[in-house]
Amino acid sequence: MGGSTTLYGEALIFDLPAGGTFYMLPSWRNNNGRFSEVYEPGILTTLGIKNSVGGLKDADLQRLAEASGRMPFNFYGHYPTMVSFRDEQSPKTIFEVTPSGMSQNFAGATFVGLDIEFTDAPVTELLRNRLTWLNLSSGTALFERDPPGSGRLDRDKPLGHKITQANFFGNGSR
């Protein structure tokens, strides 16, 4: 009993045909406004596995080992956090894109769902080339922050006041 996961990867880049780009982060914003794992438990629910990572049974592990192909992502109606920028060179211009608001941010675009695909393709490292400010030291103030002493709860903070460079990556070891 007990277990943990380690995600390795980066946010996915979606360049839309009619213009505009959004990024799908490797986490979701839960009800209290914090970023939480999405792919680790979401893969289990997508495969119909009811046990958590710490309670996987032999049959669950077998199902994971045999997973292949593409299938609709199913994590209780939650999706990874999607973000965009009014100006990609300025991280403070970040805003959240919701599935229901896709067409409001990107003319002609409609979010119809998310599929995941099991593959042996290598993890890309394209994100740091695209958003070069992600290469700056983690102590660099890239995003907006509440002033010291602000008592605003995480769930009440806008995305730009909570996000960090780390939210764009699953920095697990390979």
Side-chain angles (χ1 to χ4, degrees), residues 34-161:
R34 294 190 177 118
F35 290 96
S36 297
E37 297 175 339
V38 68
Y39 291 117
E40 296 91 323
I43 287 171
L44 298 179
T45 56
T46 296
L47 293 172
I49 297 172
K50 303 214 183 308
N51 297 311
S52 66
V53 170
L56 294 175
K57 307 291 185 213
D58 288 344
D60 300 330
L61 294 171
Q62 184 66 33
R63 188 170 208 159
L64 278 166
E66 293 173 355
S68 65
R70 178 181 276 185
M71 58 192 68
F73 183 73
N74 176 18
F75 184 50
Y76 307 111
H78 302 296
Y79 292 105
T81 301
M82 296 178 281
V83 301
S84 188
F85 300 90
R86 286 182 224 26
D87 175 1
E88 283 190 357
Q89 300 308 308
S90 177
K92 290 182 180 178
T93 66
I94 193 169
F95 63 94
E96 189 164 4
V97 178
T98 62
S100 62
M102 186 68 64
S103 63
Q104 295 165 356
N105 293 296
F106 305 106
T110 303
F111 185 85
V112 295
L114 173 65
D115 284 357
I116 61 171
E117 184 172 2
F118 294 87
T119 178
D120 60 0
V123 174
T124 68
E125 296 186 10
L126 301 173
L127 190 62
R128 287 185 188 276
N129 294 332
R130 177 74 174 260
L131 301 176
T132 55
W133 46 262
L134 286 170
N135 297 312
L136 299 174
S137 82
S138 60
T140 306
L142 296 174
F143 300 100
E144 299 289 340
R145 292 292 178 254
D146 283 348
S150 170
R152 187 161 42 164
L153 299 173
D154 280 346
R155 71 171 174 260
D156 298 330
K157 292 179 184 177
L159 175 78
H161 286 246

